[in-house]
Amino acid sequence: MEERLQGEEKAEFVHSVFESIAKDYDRMNSVISFGRHVAWREYTNRRMGVKAGETAIDLCCGTCDWTISLANAIGPTGEIVGLDFSQNMLDVGAQKVKKQGLNQITLVNGDAMKIPYPDNSFDYATIGFALRNVPDYKQVIREMARVVKPGGQVVSLEVSKPPFIPYRKLFFFYFYNLLPVVAKLVVDKYEEYSWLPNSLTNFPDSKQLADVFREAGLTDVETKLFVGGVSALHIGFKK
């Protein structure tokens, strides 16, 4: 499926998938990561050195878990934009934002391929577990680099390919074969969660993605692998 979907066709298909799974997304996120996604985001915020009063845009923010985490780190004097093209996902996120009273968050229905903000607008541009699903991940990274200020950070937290090959094969067996079955049992969504793992097939590994960051003009690129590389953090700095 992944090999056949490109450009606008992929964008439309991904949009339909996320519109469909919005209400179950948070529950499945915890199942997929064995509950570790929260710790990974908190670690990332610390690694980024997020400070009170700063600004960030969280791309493909989905149900706003990372958006909210950033808002709590930046505090009420900062400004956070959560951007996603799935209104159903944003609606779920908006309920969580309202419940926590985080007025520093603005949610925007928009395209990560064409971020609707000027150059040098934010201290941070983040994307969590979504870069592999966009039509052109290189374009998204270029856009993220464009909208951060000089000295700002472009940050990706994403499912990855473990470098140790036997472990990679074991992880792939779980991700490609067992995960869709679990999704069927937990949220009755088999087709959607059989496609999402396939989005990793043609996505670069952690070393290759670090090179893509550098190609976009980002410097001092840092990589951190979680649980042997099933998830990877990338941070790049804008000159």
Side-chain angles (χ1 to χ4, degrees), residues 51-55 70-80 102-105 123:
K51 299 180 182 64
E54 292 185 313
T55 58
L70 285 166
N72 287 327
I74 286 175
T77 60
E79 295 182 7
I80 313 291
L102 297 171
N103 296 323
Q104 67 270 47
I105 294 177
D123 296 304

Side-chain angles (χ1 to χ4, degrees), residues 48 56-60 66 70 124-128 144 153 155-156:
M48 290 161 61
I57 183 167
D58 185 26
L59 299 182
C60 306
W66 199 357
L70 285 166
Y124 308 97
T126 64
I127 186 166
M144 294 172 77
Q153 299 178 36
V155 185
S156 167

Side-chain angles (χ1 to χ4, degrees), residues 18-27 63 88-89 92:
F18 282 99
E19 288 281 271
S20 171
I21 66 175
K23 292 182 179 179
D24 302 308
Y25 182 78
D26 288 344
R27 186 158 40 134
T63 60
N88 286 350
M89 296 284 276
V92 174

Side-chain angles (χ1 to χ4, degrees), residues 49-175:
V50 176
K51 299 180 182 64
E54 292 185 313
T55 58
I57 183 167
D58 185 26
L59 299 182
C60 306
C61 65
T63 60
C64 299
D65 277 351
W66 199 357
T67 317
I68 290 169
S69 179
L70 285 166
N72 287 327
I74 286 175
T77 60
E79 295 182 7
I80 313 291
V81 172
L83 182 143
D84 202 283
F85 72 164
S86 167
Q87 190 59 48
N88 286 350
M89 296 284 276
L90 287 173
D91 289 345
V92 174
Q95 294 176 9
K96 292 153 68 174
V97 169
K98 182 178 180 180
K99 184 176 180 179
Q100 296 193 33
L102 297 171
N103 296 323
Q104 67 270 47
I105 294 177
T106 301
L107 299 182
V108 175
N109 189 315
D111 185 357
M113 300 272 289
K114 300 177 182 178
I115 301 174
Y117 287 90
D119 298 358
N120 310 318
S121 294
F122 302 96
D123 296 304
Y124 308 97
T126 64
I127 186 166
F129 303 106
L131 189 58
R132 73 187 189 280
N133 295 319
V134 301
D136 185 343
Y137 60 85
K138 292 184 178 181
Q139 169 64 14
V140 170
I141 293 171
R142 287 193 293 267
E143 276 289 275
M144 294 172 77
R146 178 183 67 79
V147 299
V148 296
K149 303 172 184 176
Q153 299 178 36
V154 171
V155 185
S156 167
L157 185 57
E158 183 58 270
V159 175
S160 191
K161 300 173 180 178
F164 183 55
I165 298 303
Y167 182 45
R168 178 183 293 193
K169 291 180 178 179
L170 181 64
F171 170 63
F172 278 10
F173 178 78
Y174 160 73
F175 205 51

Side-chain angles (χ1 to χ4, degrees), residues 184-211:
K184 175 65 176 178
L185 294 173
V186 175
V187 296
D188 196 26
K189 299 284 186 182
Y190 182 86
E191 294 297 331
E192 293 85 349
Y193 281 94
S194 64
W195 178 80
L196 286 174
N198 289 330
S199 63
L200 183 62
T201 302
N202 295 322
F203 193 70
D205 63 25
S206 57
K207 290 184 178 179
Q208 293 167 333
L209 187 57
D211 288 338

